[in-house]
Amino acid sequence: SSELTQDPAVAVALGQTVRITCQGDSLRSHHASWYQQKPGQAPVLVIYGKNNRPSGIPDRFSGSSSGNTASLTITGAQAEDEADYYCNSRDSSGNHHYVFGTGTKVTVL
Amino acid sequence: QVQLQESGPGLVKPSETLSLTCSVFGGSISSYYWSWIRQPPGKGLEWIGYIHSTGNINYNPSLTSRLSLSIDTSKNQFSLRLRSVTAADTAVYYCARIGAGEAGDAFDIWGQGTMVTFSS
């Protein structure tokens, strides 16, 4: 399968920890990348590779993976973390195609 | 700091061809792979395809029959042509850079996006 599945929505209290998951066969052999998208804006890369943050991304964002599931964890969520989050990876076809997850809306309460 | 800027018509008639260009500022287009991604209103992201200046091109299988990507290294631009468009192609179209090294599977820099609507 070339699909990546995410929970549609999750809520987290201010300052608490939230984990967003992404499931798909391709994740058994490819790392997931994670993107944050706020309304009306382009996505921003927050995690890539095994668990790497681009310059400027706070260290409260971290990534992990096990089997066919990748996770993005926000430790100590802030109000500005409220956004849509998408995972992506190469698909499992072997043809170097890319696929995005279905997206998760994170609400900070 | 590399920046990307999409350009093209915001309104296209059904059955016509959509043409978009992405200009790369602050770095050479020759060193990376470049991609197009789209997002229908209120929906998720869809990978369209990627291109490299060496001629390596790859398309989303669902768009292969209608899609052409090209690159102009002299202008530091790459382009998309999508033929026989329908209302289902209405979306924000983003251009993005595919990273290098361990970021080689990630889209590390994005343009601001351009909304394309199809209407007769």
Side-chain angles (χ1 to χ4, degrees), chain A residues 30-31 33 35 37 41-43 45 48-52 86 88 90 95-100, chain B residues 37 39 43-47 50 58-59 61 94 98 102-108 110-112:
Chain A
H30 300 291
H31 288 301
S33 302
Y35 306 84
Q37 186 180 33
Q41 298 183 18
L45 179 66
Y48 66 91
K50 197 169 185 180
N51 179 20
N52 300 290
Y86 293 91
N88 104 283
R90 292 185 185 266
N95 293 320
H96 303 288
H97 298 152
Y98 288 88
V99 61
F100 283 93
Chain B
I37 294 154
Q39 185 172 36
K43 296 188 177 181
L45 300 165
E46 179 184 30
W47 174 72
Y50 68 64
N58 208 338
Y59 297 150
Y94 296 100
I98 300 175
E102 195 170 355
D105 283 347
F107 303 99
D108 63 349
W110 295 63
Q112 67 185 28

Side-chain angles (χ1 to χ4, degrees), chain B residues 14-108:
Chain B
S15 80
E16 294 190 343
T17 296
L18 167 65
S19 296
L20 297 174
T21 295
C22 181
S23 299
V24 179
F25 300 101
S28 172
I29 200 171
S30 298
S31 305
Y32 289 88
Y33 282 80
W34 305 92
S35 194
W36 289 97
I37 294 154
R38 69 181 182 179
Q39 185 172 36
K43 296 188 177 181
L45 300 165
E46 179 184 30
W47 174 72
I48 295 173
Y50 68 64
I51 188 168
H52 192 274
S53 60
T54 56
N56 191 358
I57 299 176
N58 208 338
Y59 297 150
N60 184 319
S62 68
L63 297 170
T64 294
S65 62
R66 299 191 291 132
L67 181 63
S68 296
L69 301 186
S70 60
I71 193 166
D72 187 337
T73 55
S74 67
K75 295 181 179 179
N76 236 33
Q77 295 177 335
F78 62 103
S79 299
L80 169 155
R81 286 174 55 86
L82 185 65
R83 298 175 290 277
S84 304
V85 298
T86 70
D89 296 308
T90 294
V92 175
Y93 285 74
Y94 296 100
C95 57
R97 188 182 79 173
I98 300 175
E102 195 170 355
D105 283 347
F107 303 99
D108 63 349

Side-chain angles (χ1 to χ4, degrees), chain A residues 23-89:
Chain A
Q23 288 189 303
D25 289 343
S26 62
L27 299 178
R28 296 185 185 279
S29 50
H30 300 291
H31 288 301
S33 302
W34 290 92
Y35 306 84
Q36 177 192 71
Q37 186 180 33
K38 297 181 179 179
Q41 298 183 18
V44 172
L45 179 66
V46 295
I47 291 289
Y48 66 91
K50 197 169 185 180
N51 179 20
N52 300 290
R53 284 175 288 105
S55 174
I57 301 301
D59 60 5
R60 62 180 178 272
F61 290 90
S62 63
S64 62
S65 183
S66 178
N68 73 335
T69 301
S71 300
L72 173 70
T73 300
I74 309 174
T75 304
Q78 302 299 303
E80 61 264 32
D81 300 333
E82 184 163 296
D84 293 327
Y85 290 83
Y86 293 91
C87 60
N88 104 283
S89 79

